[in-house]
């Protein structure tokens, strides 16, 4: 099944994201202007065992019916709201039951997403199938998460205070990206809220009366194909739509560089409370590692 995604009603920046085949570290640094610009890398994931072997049968066998935590949504949008106390609702399920649900074409009223689950703690069996990309500095803390679900799942517009390589193993993902300098048009939740990294705007159906400056926002779109990895610099806003019936991705998160502390979002948080940015990073990692 292929899911189509409506473009938002705002305009494209007219930019595209460059693709670069198997760059060396110095080519990667050049293409990203020293970790500042998104770029799509081709040819690297094909070297992973996961790329050849990750079928549902293989994963069912490797994970031997283990209990997993699966996020649930009534409308395929997976987000933090006041209504659910800013925690994604989830259930425990046998991995095989989850993959049966995927194979049966997700014809249910509740939709599932194996969402941002740290591989090292939750799926160590899968670690030999992937490789930490060499573009990540040695000796830094890296968190690799597994994401697995079906077409139509949406992670709404947000930024992360970490560097990110989003690696697509199966299925495609469509992303809408907004540069940090667009932040004033994107209406973040308040700094002292539980979700200061999320936009209040529903970008596919925006309320322009409430969010008039969103009309001036400019996005860059890309579709990540299986075997491709996207570098997302810290503080770049992104909304992510899964396409295709089986969608599997890994993302690698690691600490930001000094220059990133000058992004508008970091400055806004600093201005309100200087300790917050460190806490933000810490909580991101500890939240993720406590997930399962
Ligand atoms: O793939 C998704 O649904 C969301 C991924 C994401 O937001 C990220 O990698 O930061």
């Amino acid at each position: 099944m292929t899911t189509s995604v409506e473009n938002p009603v705002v305009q494209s920046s007219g930019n595209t994201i460059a693709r670069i085949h198997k760059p060396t570290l110095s080519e990667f640094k050049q293409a990203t202007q020293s970790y500042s610009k998104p770029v799509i890398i081709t040819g690297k994931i094909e070297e992973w065992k996961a790329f050849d072997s990750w079928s549902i049968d293989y994963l069912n066998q490797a994970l031997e019916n283990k209990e997993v935590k699966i996020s649930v949504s009534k409308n395929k949008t997976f987000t933090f709201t006041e209504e659910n106390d800013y925690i994604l609702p989830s259930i425990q399920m046998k991995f095989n039951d989850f993959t049966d649900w995927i194979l049966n074409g997700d014809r249910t009223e509740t939709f599932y997403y194996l969402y941002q689950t740290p591989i090292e703690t939750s799926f160590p069996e899968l670690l030999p199938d992937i490789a930490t990309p060499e573009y990540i500095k040695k000796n830094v803390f890296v968190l690799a998460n597994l994401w697995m679900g079906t077409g139509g799942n949406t992670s709404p517009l947000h930024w992360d205070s970490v560097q990110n390589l989003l690696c697509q193993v199966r299925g495609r993902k469509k992303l809408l990206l907004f540069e940090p300098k667009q932040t004033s048009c994107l209406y973040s939740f308040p700094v002292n809220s539980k979700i200061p990294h999320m936009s209040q705007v529903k970008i596919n159906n925006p309320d322009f009366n409430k969010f008039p400056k969103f009309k001036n926002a400019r996005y860059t779109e890309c579709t990540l194909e299986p075997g491709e990895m996207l570098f997302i610099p810290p503080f770049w806003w992104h909304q992510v739509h899964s396409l295709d019936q089986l969608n599997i991705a890994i993302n690698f998160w690691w600490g930001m560089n000094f220059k990133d502390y000058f992004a508008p979002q970091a400055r806004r948080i600093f201005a309100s409370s200087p300790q917050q940015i460190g806490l933000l990073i810490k909580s991101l990692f500890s939240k993720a590692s406590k997930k399962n």
Side-chain angles (χ1 to χ4, degrees), residues 83-134:
E83 199 186 23
N84 56 32
D85 201 23
Y86 304 103
I87 294 170
L88 274 184
S90 63
I91 52 170
Q92 291 291 128
M93 208 187 233
K94 296 257 185 250
F95 184 77
N96 290 20
D97 292 335
F98 173 58
T99 52
D100 279 352
W101 176 82
I102 290 179
L103 288 172
N104 285 331
D106 72 13
R107 285 184 293 271
T108 49
E109 287 183 359
T110 304
F111 299 98
Y112 300 138
Y113 199 0
L114 196 163
Y115 182 95
Q116 192 187 302
T117 307
I119 299 190
E120 193 165 343
T121 46
S122 299
F123 301 109
E125 307 84 341
L126 301 181
L127 278 176
D129 298 353
I130 62 173
T132 304
E134 65 257 44

Side-chain angles (χ1 to χ4, degrees), residues 106-107 121 147 178 183 186 189 225 239 241 261 291:
D106 72 13
R107 285 184 293 271
T121 46
W147 304 72
F178 297 78
T183 297
L186 299 178
F189 279 92
E225 302 285 333
Q239 173 152 311
H241 301 271
Y261 287 87
K291 266 194 134 160

Side-chain angles (χ1 to χ4, degrees), residues 13-14 20 26 52 96 108 121 123 126 128 135 147 231 237 241 247 251 269:
S13 63
I20 173 163
S26 75
D52 290 329
N96 290 20
T108 49
T121 46
F123 301 109
L126 301 181
Y135 316 113
W147 304 72
F231 173 65
W237 293 87
H241 301 271
N247 201 294
N251 71 351
I269 292 173

Side-chain angles (χ1 to χ4, degrees), residues 48 54 119 130 144-147 165-167 169 249-252:
W48 295 2
W54 281 13
I119 299 190
I130 62 173
N145 299 296
L146 179 66
W147 304 72
L165 271 170
L166 177 59
C167 304
V169 181
I250 308 280
N251 71 351
F252 292 90

Side-chain angles (χ1 to χ4, degrees), residues 64-75:
E64 288 185 345
N65 236 358
K66 67 157 63 177
E67 287 271 329
V68 290
K69 179 173 161 184
I70 303 290
S71 297
V72 297
S73 162
K74 292 280 172 216
N75 59 8

